[in-house]
């Protein structure tokens, strides 16, 4: 992409900007994946241009996955400017005009709002007052409302300033290489697409346990909880990629429409099919009420009421302070209707065959199945075929999630972003749970959550912890 861009980064000295956005923007510019650019950092810190450049250099050194040469850094530093938010829209308009003059004609604008939800609309109005709406796209961070009414109100307010096709609601889970691998795996392979339906798939698990606590985020987390923080904005989006019909074209409009069809087909959540938990010690965190009923853990059953998926449950689980951190999608295939193998042969011992996508940065896939154990007799073991991005010659080409999403927004590519219709529908199906949440059940840190989570999925079983571990890159074996 050769079109020059003015990037205005609000919240430019925040944690997300320091860890992900600034190193990512530098990589995009230095690798020539985007055209010439100028970046205005906007924040509340008392900095000048040189102070912001020093802040960015420290961020790149600490968190960048690719360390720049001195001449590369000098070139990028010259593209950075800073503006204190207190300077107002007039100062922003003046600085933007100066930088756009350096970039020449046909400059596009990308505004990234890395700010708290309550500040988002103030930023939108600042951009309107600075006359920076034309030729612009805007990236919004979650949450996109906290229920149906607030989501509709937020979207209506945004649409007073920006058109829907200018708004990019970001979900970093969808920016990972493995998320796009789901589309490639499904629609490019004649082996799997014919069996991607209720006739062959028993159930699907989307499992995102975390070992981190809510420490440092308790003020935000108290008003949000695991369901609003993770399920609506992340796990449901992954579910749509898993369940969507083949799009009529490989473009953002067609793919967004198929994702929205999934959301329209989802049944409203049933509170009795949801488990909420809270880890012991959460109420002792600073900023948390001693009687808090905020869930730090949620597991639920979702259903898609269409021809492809009718009767196939989707089990979603996420939580804080769990036994391990992971991000997996696991598809369990139906077992043969009758087994010819004798008791004790091992068939069925390790559950059904699974296709697993690892959404971690390592981007891995695994297909598990039963095979004969070497030696006399007919004993079966669970084997697996695994693929890891590190095993390919193109491993170095992988973009970080935020790099990919910023690049896509600059291109106007909306495949990995959420629409207003989609997010409102997800809040609509969530309303029964929000109106009548089940009680919060305690669980000990380092476990897999409340015991009732096993009743939710019975007679099936959770895939995590795995019956076998991922192999290390280039490691051989079954």
């Amino acid at each position: 992409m050769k079109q020059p861009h003015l990037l205005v980064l609000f919240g430019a000295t925040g944690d997300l900007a320091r860890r992900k956005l600034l190193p990512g923007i530098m990589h995009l510019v230095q690798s020539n994946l985007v055209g010439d650019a100028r970046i205005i950092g906007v924040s509340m810190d008392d900095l000048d241009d040189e102070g912001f450049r020093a802040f960015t250099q420290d961020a790149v050194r600490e968190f960048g996955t690719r360390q720049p040469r001195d001449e590369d850094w000098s070139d990028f530093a010259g593209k950075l400017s800073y503006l204190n938010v207190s300077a107002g829209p007039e100062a922003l308009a003046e600085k933007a005009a100066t930088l756009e003059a350096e970039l020449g004609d046909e400059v596009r604008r990308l505004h990234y709002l890395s700010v708290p939800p309550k500040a988002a609309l103030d930023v939108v109005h600042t951009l309107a007052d600075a006359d920076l709406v034309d030729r612009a796209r805007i990236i919004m961070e979650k949450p996109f409302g906290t229920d149906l009414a607030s989501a509709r109100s937020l979207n209506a307010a945004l649409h007073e300033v920006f058109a829907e096709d200018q708004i990019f609601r970001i979900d970093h889970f969808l920016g990972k290489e493995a998320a796009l691998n789901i589309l490639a795996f499904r629609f490019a392979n004649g082996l799997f697409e014919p069996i991607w339906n209720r006739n062959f798939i028993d159930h699907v698990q989307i499992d995102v346990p975390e070992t981190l606590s809510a420490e440092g985020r308790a003020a935000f987390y108290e008003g949000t909880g695991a369901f609003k923080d993770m399920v609506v904005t992340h796990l449901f989006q992954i579910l749509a990629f898993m369940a969507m019909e083949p799009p009529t074209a490989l473009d953002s409009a067609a793919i967004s429409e198929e994702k929205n069809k999934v959301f329209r087909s989802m049944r409203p959540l049933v509170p009795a099919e949801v488990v909420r938990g809270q880890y012991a010690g959460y109420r002792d965190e600073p900023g948390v009420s001693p009687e808090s009923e905020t869930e730090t853990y949620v597991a639920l059953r979702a259903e898609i009421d269409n021809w492809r998926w009718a009767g196939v449950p989707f089990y979603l689980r996420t939580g804080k302070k769990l036994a391990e951190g992971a991000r997996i999608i696991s598809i369990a295939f139906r077992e043969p209707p009758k087994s010819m193998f004798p008791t004790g042969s091992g068939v069925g011992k390790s559950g059904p065959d699974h296709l697993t996508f690892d959404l971690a940065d390592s981007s891995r896939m695994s297909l598990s199945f039963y095979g004969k154990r070497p030696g006399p007799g007919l004993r079966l073991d669970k084997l697996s075929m695994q693929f890891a991005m590190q095993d390919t010659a193109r491993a170095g080409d992988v973009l970080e999630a935020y790099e990919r999403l910023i690049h896509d927004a600059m291109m106007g590519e909306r495949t990995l972003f959420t629409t207003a219709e989609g997010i409102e529908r997800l809040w609509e199906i969530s309303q029964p749970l929000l109106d009548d949440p089940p009680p919060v059940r305690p669980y000990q840190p380092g476990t897999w959550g409340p015991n009732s989570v096993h009743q939710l999925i019975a007679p099936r079983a959770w895939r995590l912890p795995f019956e076998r571990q991922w192999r290390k890159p280039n490691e051989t074996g079954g």
Side-chain angles (χ1 to χ4, degrees):
M1 181 178 61
K2 299 301 181 185
Q3 197 167 32
H5 268 77
L6 172 70
L7 278 74
V8 184
L9 174 57
F10 291 88
T13 57
D15 190 61
L16 178 61
R18 186 168 62 97
R19 291 175 177 272
K20 296 292 185 181
L21 303 182
L22 291 170
I25 291 169
M26 179 172 180
H27 176 241
L28 290 175
V29 172
Q30 290 296 312
S31 62
N32 294 319
L33 286 170
V34 300
D36 197 6
R38 298 293 184 272
I39 299 95
I40 303 176
V42 182
S43 188
M44 299 175 66
D45 287 309
D46 187 16
L47 296 174
D48 56 13
D49 289 353
E50 288 304 316
F52 181 56
R53 289 164 186 162
F55 175 88
T56 303
Q57 187 174 30
D58 290 342
V60 170
R61 284 174 174 168
E62 185 173 359
F63 298 107
T65 57
R66 310 162 185 88
Q67 292 302 311
R69 298 172 300 177
D70 290 343
E71 56 268 32
D72 292 335
W73 166 251
S74 297
D75 178 69
F76 182 70
K79 303 177 187 296
L80 296 170
S81 301
Y82 183 79
L83 189 71
N84 191 294
V85 69
S86 63
E90 297 81 5
L92 177 59
E94 182 179 349
K95 186 175 283 285
T98 300
L99 296 177
E100 288 185 350
E102 297 177 9
L103 292 169
D105 298 332
E106 299 183 354
V107 180
R108 291 210 62 93
R109 298 158 175 164
L110 181 68
H111 309 307
Y112 198 120
L113 274 59
S114 179
V115 298
K118 61 183 180 181
L121 288 180
D122 288 340
V123 173
V124 168
H125 294 138
T126 295
L127 291 170
D129 292 341
D131 197 21
L132 293 177
V133 175
D134 292 341
R135 297 178 278 113
R137 299 182 178 112
I138 180 171
I139 296 179
M140 303 282 298
E141 280 283 347
K142 70 177 179 95
F144 315 117
T146 56
D147 55 20
L148 180 57
S150 61
R152 284 176 172 168
S153 176
L154 174 61
N155 285 329
L158 289 173
H159 291 157
E160 290 178 0
V161 179
F162 289 94
E164 176 63 20
D165 63 3
Q166 293 179 282
I167 303 169
F168 290 73
R169 299 169 186 82
I170 196 167
D171 173 11
H172 70 273
F173 271 50
L174 295 186
K176 295 182 178 296
E177 195 75 24
L180 289 173
N181 246 331
I182 298 171
L183 295 183
F185 196 87
R186 283 192 59 188
F187 301 129
N189 295 295
L191 176 63
F192 287 98
E193 178 54 27
I195 62 172
W196 211 266
N197 56 60
R198 63 187 300 273
N199 296 320
F200 298 94
I201 292 177
D202 178 78
H203 71 280
V204 177
Q205 296 180 31
I206 302 175
D207 211 348
V208 187
E210 297 180 287
T211 57
L212 298 175
S213 70
E215 185 179 359
R217 300 180 68 218
F220 163 78
Y221 210 77
E222 261 296 89
T224 307
F227 179 78
K228 294 178 180 179
D229 184 41
M230 291 290 293
V231 177
V232 177
T233 51
H234 293 322
L235 274 63
F236 279 159
Q237 304 300 324
I238 294 294
L239 181 151
F241 266 117
M242 258 296 306
M244 63 186 273
E245 296 294 323
T248 55
L250 197 63
D251 61 40
S252 55
I255 292 174
S256 292
E257 173 59 19
E258 295 305 331
K259 287 169 59 183
N260 285 340
K261 284 181 182 178
V262 173
F263 299 146
R264 291 177 209 139
S265 299
M266 289 178 68
R267 291 183 174 180
L269 298 181
V270 178
E273 296 177 344
V274 178
V275 175
R276 298 168 70 235
Q278 186 185 93
Y279 66 78
Y282 172 74
R283 294 178 181 179
D284 298 327
E285 302 272 11
V288 175
S289 165
E291 280 121 30
S292 173
E293 291 295 307
T294 299
E295 81 279 357
T296 62
Y297 175 100
V298 64
L300 61 88
R301 172 181 173 134
E303 293 196 19
I304 301 171
D305 197 13
N306 62 19
W307 279 33
R308 182 182 289 264
W309 296 112
V312 177
F314 286 72
Y315 295 103
L316 281 57
R317 178 172 66 165
T318 186
K320 301 286 188 184
K321 297 274 280 194
L322 297 178
E324 64 181 74
R327 297 169 180 173
I328 72 155
I329 306 169
S330 187
I331 298 101
F333 293 100
R334 292 192 183 278
E335 298 189 66
K338 184 173 176 60
S339 176
M340 58 186 248
F341 297 94
T343 302
S345 65
V347 67
K349 181 180 178 181
S350 299
D353 298 340
H354 285 90
L355 175 64
T356 303
F357 294 88
D358 185 352
L359 297 183
D361 294 334
S362 51
S363 185
R364 299 174 291 195
M365 292 184 293
S366 171
L367 179 63
S368 68
F369 52 90
Y370 287 99
K372 180 186 176 301
R373 181 186 299 178
L378 197 60
R379 296 293 303 277
L380 305 181
D381 283 330
K382 204 65 174 290
L383 308 174
S384 70
M385 292 188 296
Q386 298 183 6
F387 162 80
M389 181 59 68
Q390 297 98 318
D391 294 336
T392 75
R394 304 299 298 270
D397 294 346
V398 174
L399 291 178
E400 295 272 312
Y402 282 99
E403 292 173 358
R404 179 188 304 282
L405 293 166
I406 293 170
H407 178 263
D408 281 4
M410 293 172 78
M411 295 283 289
E413 171 57 57
R414 303 177 58 82
T415 298
L416 302 178
F417 295 87
T418 308
T419 66
E421 177 192 343
I423 200 67
E424 288 178 15
R425 173 58 183 166
L426 290 175
W427 284 121
E428 184 178 5
I429 67 167
S430 301
Q431 202 62 48
L433 173 62
L434 301 179
D435 291 340
D436 185 24
V440 169
R441 302 178 184 274
Y443 65 94
Q444 291 300 313
T447 65
W448 286 99
N451 289 333
S452 54
V453 74
H454 301 294
Q455 299 168 7
L456 172 70
I457 201 171
R460 304 172 178 95
W462 290 102
R463 189 79 201 286
L464 287 177
F466 283 136
E467 79 278 358
R468 61 188 297 114
Q469 295 299 311
W470 289 100
R471 289 195 299 272
K472 296 179 181 178
N474 302 318
E475 181 180 322
T476 60

